[in-house]
Amino acid sequence: MSDGQRLFVGGAWVEPDGGHYAVLDPATEETVGWAPEASRDQVHAACAAAREAFGPWSRTPAEERAAVLARAADLVRERLVPYAELAQAETGATTGTARGLQVGVGAARFGRYARVEPAEWAIPPQINEAGPMGKAGVMGALAVRQPVGVVTCITSYNNPWANPAGKIAPALAMGNTVVVKPAPQDPLSVYRMAEALEAAGAPAGVVNVVSGRSVEVGEAAVDSPDVDMVSFTGSTAVGQRIAEVCGRGMKRQLMELGGKGAALVFDDADLASAVAGIGTTFSFYSGQICTAPTRVLAQRGVYGRLVELLAAYARRLKVGDPRKRDTVVGPVISAAHRERIESYVETGRKEGAAVVTGGERPSHARGFYVSPTLLADCSPEMRVVREEIFGPVVVVLPFDDEEEGVALANDSDYGLIDYVWTADVARAFRVARLLRAGGVGINTVGRNMEAPFGGFKRSGVGRDVGSYALHAYSEVQAIVWPG
């Protein structure tokens, strides 16, 4: 047996056909561990194992499935510190983020779907008149939820705990089985999650984890004939390719894709609140999050002052070792991604944007660091305004009136989450209804984890979290009988 991580297939820990590759710590550039490279055959074997396990698991009483999730939540909480240390090493997250928002949220999601309320499972019985079919009387009709089947979960690198748990937990609660393909940059944490589920009593084949850097690993997890649904979090470009394969096989989809969140700041806004909210783009996962308010639209009366305050905020943020208590901004995930972010900043310069602060590489000997960067005097056609940068970069554009602000916000291929800052409550809700986004935050960047989450346009397909995730991982079946 090698020293590297093994795949988890059909309840067994299996040596990978493709060997292992190094997982690097973005803060130190040192090797964290060795991740397995699955072959196409091994991925298909994982899908076949999930198919075999589906029948028994789907017939397991919901209370027993919930008990497995509850035990998994407890085990993750018990191991929070070592799990968080690994997540931090893989992702470069700060200690608070790794413990609270990565592992902590992962445990909370298992716990949440271990406590499914009866009302979330059932759809009220419906009594329908015969209608155009004649006067034969009343037909009884009962709508019930059934599991979809085998779900492939392809997860993003920015949160190797909350994102996979948000897919696995509701899928298992509904009676599905899963094949998880984690991001190649930080897959080791997902294997720890599989260990916790195994220890919690998940039967063999109910949860499978396969990883690899090769594109064919993800392709095999999508095109396997044993897979009924694909749940994907990642870029819009990759999501489109997955959707094409799903379309050929009529596989169900849940797609949480890119974002370029607009933050409309009106003249009457509380600027301190707006700056604190927008400023999370610089610090939260070092800007590597699709929900960030990266595209700021400021009404002209506050435009200059808002740019000054955002620049001052960004300059105060400590960039460096995420293990130190005073660090606010850690590294981005890889050298390649750092170069991508830097190329966008340079593109912004060439397009005519003013680099108010940032734009240079911090002077750290090692680690993939990017300075919090603010680009002002931007215009709607610029690439930095239209494309997702996925880093600690904020762009600012002016607008004159409400109509123009809404038009600018909606002038995007994306529509995940937008934000509105104003003291006028009526305007806030009026503008929110006009924004073409799956979610709108009013005077906050906070999330309600029971509210539906998903995007309009190229930001995705479907909704999850809360009860909506149970809907996403189920099919509705109608049972009709004569009255």
Side-chain angles (χ1 to χ4, degrees), residues 151-324:
V151 181
T152 286
C153 304
I154 303 179
T155 63
S156 59
Y157 67 73
N158 58 353
N159 196 322
W161 275 93
N163 186 259
K167 298 178 185 297
I168 296 169
L172 296 189
M174 282 304 307
N176 302 282
T177 55
V178 298
V179 176
V180 188
K181 193 278 178 186
Q185 297 92 334
D186 51 8
L188 301 178
S189 290
V190 182
Y191 285 104
R192 301 292 81 75
M193 189 181 301
E195 288 177 355
L197 284 160
E198 181 187 31
V206 169
V207 178
N208 305 268
V209 183
V210 290
S211 60
R213 294 177 296 180
S214 171
V215 172
E216 76 170 9
V217 176
E219 290 177 343
V222 172
D223 68 23
S224 166
D226 287 310
V227 170
D228 301 293
M229 175 181 173
V230 176
S231 177
F232 171 70
T233 298
S235 73
T236 296
V238 174
Q240 288 174 310
R241 293 197 291 271
I242 291 173
E244 290 172 0
V245 177
C246 288
R248 290 195 293 271
M250 296 303 292
K251 301 176 191 287
R252 302 295 180 263
Q253 303 168 46
L254 179 60
M255 298 279 183
E256 198 259 286
L257 307 178
K260 190 72 175 178
L264 283 86
V265 183
F266 286 91
D267 284 345
D268 63 348
D270 179 340
L271 293 189
S273 171
V275 168
I278 295 164
T280 60
T281 301
F282 301 127
S283 56
F284 193 45
Y285 300 131
S286 301
Q288 299 167 113
I289 184 165
C290 52
T291 58
T294 56
R295 187 167 50 111
V296 178
L297 310 174
Q299 199 163 16
R300 290 197 186 271
V302 294
Y303 176 84
R305 181 60 177 156
L306 183 62
V307 169
E308 291 176 3
L309 291 172
L310 282 171
Y313 184 97
R315 294 186 187 110
R316 289 196 300 269
L317 301 177
K318 170 71 179 300
V319 180
D321 184 351
R323 294 168 178 84
K324 292 185 177 179

Side-chain angles (χ1 to χ4, degrees), residues 261-262 409-410 414-419 432-441 454-457 459 463:
N410 288 335
Y414 298 106
L416 188 56
I417 296 186
D418 286 343
Y419 304 88
R433 292 295 299 272
L434 295 172
L435 294 174
R436 299 292 296 164
V440 180
F456 287 15
K457 297 183 281 187
S459 284
R463 297 292 182 271

